[in-house]
Amino acid sequence: MKQRRRNRQLFFILLLALGLRIPLLSGSFWLDEAAQALESSRPLWQQFDIIPDFQPPLIHLLTHFALYVSSQEWWLRLISALIPGLITIWAVYKIGHRFFSKRTGNLASLLLATNSFHVFYSQELRPYSLPAMWASLSWLCLLNLTCKNKNEKQVISHKAKSWPHWLGYILLTTAGLYSSYLYPFLIVSQLTYILLTQKKNLQKKFLFFKFKSMNHTLKSFFTSLVVATFLFAPWIPTFFKQLKAGQALRQTIPGWEEVVSLTQVKALPLTVGKFVFGISNLELNHFYLIPTGLLTLLLLGLSGYLFYQFKKDKIKIKPIIITTTWFVVPLITSWLVSFLVPVVRPKRLLFLLPALYLLIATLIDLSLNHLNQLKQDKQKSLVKLSAITLLIILFALNLFSLSQYYLKPKFQRENWQSLYSEIQTRFPEKQTIAIFSFSQPFAPWRWYNQEHFPSLATGYNNIEQVPQLTSTLKPIFDYDFV
């Protein structure tokens, strides 16, 4: 009966998540999505020739094979983004239920299901939802191998039966590495978790760990990382070529670095802010500052209360250690690396959003579970009110930002499909030419135009190249409309 009830709860949460992600799924591709679709539509042998796109190749391959079935927007997003988004929610539910508590699993998965930031990138034909799926699944796999469940029983108790799960962890980690260049920061968090929880089984000698003295779990984990790194090694030369091309682009186009990354001062607060407030534009006004202050106050209050209970009664805080490690370590390490190579943007760190909600749900659950430890009714009421208020604010923010996304076009993607349809309706194809002051026609135009309208790209020009520009534009005089 309990299992059936859990299955019904999970089904409802996934159905809700799917329902929230269907609207706008078939909307127009914007610039980056159209570029992704065009790149993936090339022959299979060219899918590894992606030097200009600073991404690993898995999203290209996945979209390439999806195009064999259909080129519709909803289909490509379904395969590359929506299904990974739903699987991420499933993994969060399982992690919460299996290792933390029923309440934690329900709250974290519901918050993730209704978060507009996750909804948006579950509809984005780019590699953001995909690494978030691998990250959640790999954490679920790793916890199965190294952590006892909420009933204090080892999920995989026999060493002989663990090798298929370690193989699964290797494959998930490899897939993550081939999905995002920020995935190694997640691996650092898992390494940190292993070192924190297995430190009793580590023996140090001259600052080096002795592999022979490690237990089965440690040996299996480090071996898995070595194998996953070996499987990713063939792509490393291409990564350095992409890195070199990116550095050249930043030097060629002034301001490009500000486009693709954030300043160090903004990076951390904006990432957390987008996770909480979703796709809404963050501004320094009372509408955002008041909820931010309340959330910060409530989180600090519940954290302080649990720290006090831990010091007093030795409550179990392993769930907090796991979720904090998963969220904080990649966030800080990626931010530090950004001083050398600018990489931090909220969408690229989407794989940390499940950890944030698991952490918040754990704080709420532990606070409510230890109300009996308090002697005064006023203290109990205050803790309970704080936990419930925190939950209400988070769900309210989710619902508000979702309504913004659905109802206001400025929060949606550029509607190139509608623009092209309007041009097609108003202007005759044979008498009209489109001009782009770029090295080639913009990707959405190429995707939707399919060579119906002739196009002309002028490239980059300055005032000294006006005579050349005159000859470049000469073909437009053969058309009635420009």
Side-chain angles (χ1 to χ4, degrees):
M1 290 296 292
K2 289 183 179 180
Q3 185 62 39
R4 288 181 181 178
R5 188 160 53 248
R6 283 196 294 268
N7 290 338
R8 284 198 297 268
Q9 291 171 347
L10 178 58
F11 175 77
F12 168 76
I13 293 170
L14 292 177
L15 186 63
L16 173 65
L18 177 62
L20 293 174
R21 285 155 178 76
I22 288 178
L24 304 179
L25 186 66
S26 59
S28 171
F29 283 152
W30 75 291
L31 184 65
D32 284 6
E33 286 184 298
Q36 179 68 69
L38 287 169
E39 289 286 306
S40 297
S41 63
R42 298 178 302 164
L44 179 60
W45 62 272
Q46 293 183 12
Q47 294 308 307
F48 298 99
D49 182 17
I50 53 173
I51 301 299
D53 186 16
F54 191 64
Q55 298 290 347
L58 188 57
I59 186 71
H60 290 264
L61 293 170
L62 190 61
T63 307
H64 175 81
F65 288 110
L67 281 165
Y68 289 162
V69 178
S70 174
S71 61
Q72 292 293 315
E73 293 90 347
W74 69 268
W75 168 252
L76 297 180
R77 289 167 171 160
L78 175 75
I79 298 300
S80 300
L82 194 147
I83 291 177
L86 294 179
I87 294 176
T88 302
I89 296 169
W90 173 87
V92 167
Y93 179 91
K94 289 295 184 182
I95 290 172
H97 268 253
R98 189 171 294 175
F99 300 103
F100 303 160
S101 71
K102 175 183 174 181
R103 183 190 287 141
T104 299
N106 288 343
L107 291 180
S109 55
L110 272 172
L111 285 167
L112 188 60
T114 57
N115 179 274
S116 67
F117 197 71
H118 193 264
V119 169
F120 187 93
Y121 289 107
S122 293
Q123 300 175 324
E124 179 88 80
L125 186 62
R126 290 295 284 157
Y128 307 124
S129 180
L130 198 61
M133 177 184 70
W134 302 130
S136 301
L137 290 175
S138 69
W139 266 103
L140 176 60
C141 190
L142 186 62
L143 292 176
N144 281 335
L145 288 159
T146 62
C147 186
K148 293 181 180 180
N149 63 18
K150 59 186 179 182
N151 297 319
E152 294 300 316
K153 294 181 180 179
Q154 193 72 28
V155 177
I156 301 172
S157 55
H158 299 289
K159 295 180 181 179
K161 294 181 179 180
S162 66
W163 72 265
H165 299 274
W166 283 114
L167 177 61
Y169 176 76
I170 292 172
L171 295 177
L172 291 169
T173 301
T174 305
L177 291 171
Y178 276 102
S179 298
S180 171
Y181 286 138
L182 271 69
Y183 198 87
F185 297 116
L186 181 100
I187 298 176
V188 173
S189 72
Q190 294 176 337
L191 174 62
T192 304
Y193 158 74
I194 287 292
L195 295 178
L196 287 174
T197 56
Q198 302 287 326
K199 58 185 178 181
K200 293 181 180 179
N201 298 309
L202 282 170
Q203 294 184 13
K204 297 181 181 179
K205 185 177 182 180
F206 302 110
L207 301 180
F208 291 97
F209 299 118
K210 296 172 64 176
F211 186 80
K212 292 182 179 180
S213 66
M214 295 180 184
N215 63 6
H216 175 74
T217 298
L218 287 168
K219 288 180 179 179
S220 299
F221 176 75
F222 286 112
T223 302
S224 299
L225 290 187
V226 170
V227 174
T229 304
F230 175 79
L231 293 174
F232 182 69
W235 186 253
I236 293 177
T238 305
F239 162 73
F240 283 110
K241 291 180 182 178
Q242 291 177 321
L243 188 63
K244 185 177 181 181
Q247 292 173 341
L249 188 63
R250 287 197 296 274
Q251 295 174 358
T252 304
I253 306 179
W256 182 250
E257 187 168 327
E258 285 73 22
V259 174
V260 299
S261 62
L262 301 169
T263 62
Q264 295 302 100
V265 175
K266 291 182 179 179
L268 293 182
L270 186 61
T271 298
V272 178
K274 296 300 286 186
F275 283 178
V276 175
F277 288 94
I279 52 90
S280 303
N281 289 331
L282 299 180
E283 300 174 2
L284 292 178
N285 56 37
H286 66 278
F287 185 81
Y288 292 99
L289 292 177
I290 291 175
T292 300
L294 282 174
L295 288 172
T296 304
L297 184 63
L298 291 170
L299 286 171
L300 290 176
L302 292 179
S303 301
Y305 162 69
L306 289 175
F307 180 76
Y308 169 77
Q309 292 294 345
F310 170 73
K311 288 292 186 180
K312 181 181 178 182
D313 302 308
K314 299 296 182 181
I315 65 171
K316 297 174 182 177
I317 60 169
K318 193 169 185 179
I320 297 178
I321 294 175
I322 294 171
T323 52
T324 302
T325 303
W326 180 354
F327 178 70
V328 173
V329 172
L331 184 64
I332 298 300
T333 52
S334 61
W335 179 72
L336 292 174
V337 169
S338 287
F339 281 96
L340 301 175
V341 181
V343 295
V344 172
R345 286 192 75 86
K347 59 186 179 182
R348 296 178 193 152
L349 294 171
L350 186 67
F351 56 80
L352 301 184
L353 183 57
L356 177 62
Y357 277 145
L358 279 168
L359 174 59
I360 293 174
T362 298
L363 290 174
I364 293 173
D365 179 66
L366 289 176
S367 298
L368 295 176
N369 284 343
H370 290 84
L371 288 177
N372 294 330
Q373 305 289 341
L374 298 174
K375 297 179 180 180
Q376 298 182 12
D377 291 338
K378 289 184 178 180
Q379 293 177 336
K380 293 181 181 180
S381 300
L382 180 61
V383 172
K384 188 175 182 179
L385 179 63
S386 299
I388 294 175
T389 303
L390 175 61
L391 199 58
I392 290 174
I393 292 175
L394 289 173
F395 275 116
L397 290 174
N398 280 0
L399 295 177
F400 172 76
S401 57
L402 276 175
S403 67
Q404 295 279 94
Y405 175 46
Y406 294 142
L407 300 176
K408 294 188 177 182
K410 72 174 184 177
F411 293 115
Q412 300 167 10
R413 293 169 180 84
E414 302 163 359
N415 198 343
W416 282 84
Q417 188 178 34
S418 177
L419 173 65
Y420 179 78
S421 297
E422 182 180 346
I423 293 173
Q424 196 172 35
T425 301
R426 293 177 57 187
F427 301 99
E429 294 179 1
K430 294 183 180 180
Q431 301 171 32
T432 306
I433 186 171
I435 302 180
F436 298 86
S437 57
F438 193 61
S439 57
Q440 59 183 340
F442 290 154
W445 176 266
R446 290 159 56 202
W447 177 260
Y448 290 111
N449 184 37
Q450 301 296 320
E451 298 184 356
H452 293 159
F453 287 94
S455 303
L456 177 65
T458 64
Y460 301 107
N461 294 276
N462 56 46
I463 195 67
E464 297 175 352
Q465 296 170 305
V466 169
Q468 299 176 19
L469 185 61
T470 303
S471 60
T472 301
L473 293 175
K474 191 174 182 180
I476 71 174
F477 294 104
D478 295 332
Y479 297 91
D480 296 328
F481 304 98
V482 179

